[in-house]
Amino acid sequence: MASYSKQALADAIYSKLRLNCGRELCEANASHMFRACALVLRDILAERNLDTQNWVRETMSRQVHYMSMEFLLGRSLMKNAFNLGILDALTEALSDMGFHPSDIFETEPDAGLGNGGLGRLAACYMDSMATLGIPATGYSICYELGAFRQKIVNGEQTELPDDWLNLGEAWLIPKPDETEEVRFGGTVDQRWEDGRLRVFHTGYVSVLAVPRDMAVSGYGTRQVNTLRLWDAKAPVSIDMSLFSKGEYLKASEQNAMAAVIAKVLYPADHHPEGKALRLKQQYFFVSATAQSILRRHYNEFGTLRDFHLRHVIQINDTHPALAIPELMRIFMDDYGFGWDEAWRIVSNTVAYTNHTVLPEALEHWSQDLMEPLLPRIWNILCEINNRYGAQVSAFYPGDGDKLRDTAIVWNREVRMANLCVAACFSVNGVSAMHSDILRNQLFRDAAAMAPDKFKNVTNGIDHRRWLAQVNPGMDALVRELTGNDGYLLEPQRLRELERFSSDGAVLERLEKIKAQNKESFARYARREWGFALNTGAIFDVQAKRLHEYKRQLLNAMHILHLYLTLKDNPNMDFHPRVFLFGAKAAPAYQTAKEIIRLISSLSAQIAADPVCKDRLQVFFLPNYRVSLAEALIPASEISEQISAAGKEASGTGNMKFMMNGAVTIGTLDGANVEMHQLLGDENMFLFGLTAKEAEALRAAGYNPREYYDRNPALRRVLEEMAKGFGDGVSYAHLTERLLTGAHCLPDEFFLLPDFEPYRRAQERAGEVYRDRDAWNRMSLLNIARSGGFAADRSIGDYAREIWSVPYRKFPDPNHSR
Ligand code: 26V
């Protein structure tokens, strides 16, 4: 296709419909149309993807390999059309063909290959890397089932499978000729042969890794990168020979392993279970990726000596950390390198991003699991551990504690974070505060040995998706006020909006856009769930994974307090509120599920009480995911970012709300700290203990009872919770966790000390909201100062400070928007 006029697109869609979907236009439904559109765009992208690869080969650019167990992509059709500059043409083509374009876009299932922030971050970064002209490939598993679909039944979360591939497959380009073999189990023998130590691995089980590539477009550029998703298959021919040799058990073992490895994304977030399978998934994807990268390099250059000059591998949390021993294995066992040279190359290639400091989320694997499953990797890990231990001992002579704390293998466990810190040339946190915690607390001893290794790259979001695409009203206003659409490639230009912070007419238009977004979300909520949202109320939103440290329970406690106050004083003067929650709980995380149940009970109680009519509403929005966030965030006015200080590594939802003009009620945690530096006390409602204060309180022997005894309102909230509501369910277990700690620290996340400060912050927000002008100004300044939270800025930081890759733009001369 030479050009992408609406006619050219319509013709191409028509042809895909007939040839690939076997449908005439008159019999096509929205799913057929979506598939046809996706195939048309896939062709355009596939061609540009080849051009990009040729360009990378010719220029021999340094490439980035971004490894992540999660990529929370959401929908791609509108995104790709937007990036290619053909969204208007596509929309018109679909209308001309007799369809509502939005029906077609909304038919696309979310590619939910992730649990939360870490996975969405990877997706935003893929967009920015393509846009900034960085040759980059992402790697993950092609999970057959993505993040579970959440259904609320009688107030409780139930989990349903998410069969995204059914339609999502349209984006994938299978590359069976680039299949890699991954080996599990068996035995390893080492023998000297021809003057070098040779390693022989026998008796293993094989799983084949088959790439299914997805093209990743960038905005306004011809560059198209790749996201390589590995599918698992049993090796058919070996399988048959095993059968003929009578090794039936092994053959069926291989089949079983292959069938299960790429089946489902782990729904756990910070709550590990099903450990063995997760380890198999990690090694499967890491081994396939490492082999694939090395094979391509070797085929091109005939040597791996300069590998690190051409490649950098960024690992997203510790989940892909086995890439380190796996690369060592391939360099040594397959390409004959000695340890020292292999180590020099590998440790100059791999860089690690940490995404959490919660102890239960720092991965460790038992020797009992690792050694039999990955015998050669286990050898290599032990060797890395010995050598690193020697370095630690030399740096801290005679200090056994330091040796223990920095050890990679200790007490029959492999500690993945310590492995990354020892082996990677760069370790970064994801907000200024989080990076300080890594440097000065979590990895203090290792950081003292290599201070330059430790960096910060504050997270960022794809502002083209999270502002321009999801909020067309605001996008139009920004373009009008800044004179053009330049902010799409230069997010800092949002700053130019500050000029209008006292312009009454502009502020009114801002308010109107928000009001329209609220109306539009209310229609969505009515259509999806039959909810009737009061659009005259403040939309107050907390949307993120459900976790105790994120403190959805604190929000619920405040709502309960508001409800009780309203009952006592039905004429209370306050601006009506709609509290909206969106959150999935890890299926095995009982307390998180109880909190969902509590929110549902509270919601029903409030809905049934006439005193709340037109004043107070609470809704739990089922199945929070990327596409729901896209509808919800532009309609939000208050953004709840209320984690216990020191626990949220960064947060990225906070940035999305800010960029859409919601005002934050938040603690000094993660990237909120940087938001606060930009906004000041005047444009944010800050409350609560700081991380230092919380630590000091804990050290002084924190007793939640003191707060309970001192604050009658808080006491009443907890008593009511324990009693339960109209549906007869008691939440005594939750109050017990707060007051006495049932199998946990009492009130581990400091809800009680923060309750009163939170209540006051809420009250202040409610008051300011009534001064429409003041509120709209805050909202405008939030948008204006959000440019620094664009993923383009983060990727620029990675490119400069860690990857040493140039980042350029390749403007697409035909691009029009
Ligand atoms: C840990 C585990 C442990 C084993 C079971 C499965 C599983 C899945 C995920 C994790 C770690 C999750 C780490 C994470 O998502 N961190 C979030 O990363 C965001 C992007 O940097 C950041 O904004 C959030 O603050 C941080 O919680």
Side-chain angles (χ1 to χ4, degrees), residues 289-363:
T289 302
Q291 292 185 65
S292 159
I293 300 171
L294 291 182
R295 187 184 311 285
R296 285 167 165 224
H297 183 95
Y298 189 83
N299 289 345
E300 200 174 328
F301 295 97
T303 169
L304 292 176
R305 265 177 222 296
D306 292 337
F307 180 78
H308 56 294
L309 303 179
R310 301 261 170 270
H311 304 271
V312 54
I313 298 177
Q314 188 70 43
I315 58 175
N316 202 23
D317 223 280
T318 56
H319 318 150
L322 289 175
I324 296 158
E326 177 65 3
L327 284 163
M328 289 297 289
R329 181 190 72 77
I330 304 172
F331 269 98
M332 295 189 298
D333 300 357
D334 296 352
Y335 291 93
F337 281 71
W339 180 281
D340 291 331
E341 195 177 10
W343 182 255
R344 188 178 57 80
I345 297 173
V346 171
S347 60
N348 279 296
T349 302
V350 187
Y352 159 56
T353 306
N354 173 284
H355 293 268
T356 180
V357 296
L358 293 194
E360 67 267 35
L362 293 176
E363 287 187 301

Side-chain angles (χ1 to χ4, degrees), residues 639-655:
S639 159
E640 299 278 351
Q641 307 300 336
I642 60 175
S643 51
K647 302 295 179 190
E648 190 70 272
S650 160
T652 43
N654 47 1
M655 303 170 184

